Amino acid sequence: MGTATVRLMPDAEDVRRVALSLPDTTEKVAWSMPTFRVAGKMFATLPEDETSMAVRCPKEERDELVLAEPDKFWIADHEAGFAWVRVRLSALEDEPELRDILADSWRQAAPTRLLESYPELGLPAAD
């Protein structure tokens, strides 16, 4: 009987796979790192050593996230003036959480025509 390997935390390849599964998403290297764009607008990046990702997040929500879960979310100095937040991949619970975060960022960058074409990506499910 073989043992199955269970990977709990999402990694950079999971980010790439999930991001590219979202409608009209492309990957482009910019600033020497992978970036993910919907209809040409960036919604996620895999910075530096690819142990975290940066995603769009309204500043008000971003500050609340960082205060509520500082082990998971933080603001990079050079992104402080922008509506972006960093997410430590090792702190994510599972792939559904990764998908929710990426889909939320995708929604913020996607044009209305895509949001209307993919209502299932509309609003996150209520808890």
Side-chain angles (χ1 to χ4, degrees):
M1 230 165 107
T3 55
T5 303
V6 178
R7 276 191 23 246
L8 296 175
M9 77 178 184
D11 63 15
E13 285 309 308
D14 295 319
V15 172
R16 178 172 281 110
R17 182 174 43 76
V18 171
L20 291 172
S21 75
L22 295 167
D24 204 16
T25 294
T26 57
E27 180 176 348
K28 178 182 177 183
V29 173
W31 308 286
S32 303
M33 69 179 143
T35 67
F36 301 92
R37 299 161 189 256
V38 56
K41 252 179 118 172
M42 198 165 38
F43 72 90
T45 68
L46 279 167
E48 292 92 34
D49 59 4
E50 299 189 353
T51 60
S52 68
M53 64 178 175
V55 293
R56 289 174 172 263
C57 185
K59 287 183 186 175
E60 317 74 54
E61 291 177 29
R62 176 186 77 175
D63 295 343
E64 289 175 19
L65 282 174
V66 171
L67 283 171
E69 298 184 80
D71 293 338
K72 189 179 293 186
F73 300 102
W74 89 100
I75 301 164
D77 291 341
H78 66 280
E79 293 166 350
F82 303 95
W84 286 80
V85 68
R86 294 282 182 98
V87 185
R88 287 180 183 84
L89 298 179
S90 63
L92 294 177
E93 291 173 28
D94 52 22
E95 189 167 309
E97 184 180 23
L98 171 66
R99 176 169 279 284
D100 286 348
I101 291 169
L102 284 168
D104 185 57
S105 187
W106 180 90
R107 279 191 297 277
Q108 293 174 61
T112 304
R113 68 176 169 80
L114 278 176
L115 295 174
E116 289 171 350
S117 297
Y118 296 93
E120 71 278 11
L121 290 170
L123 296 171
D127 289 336

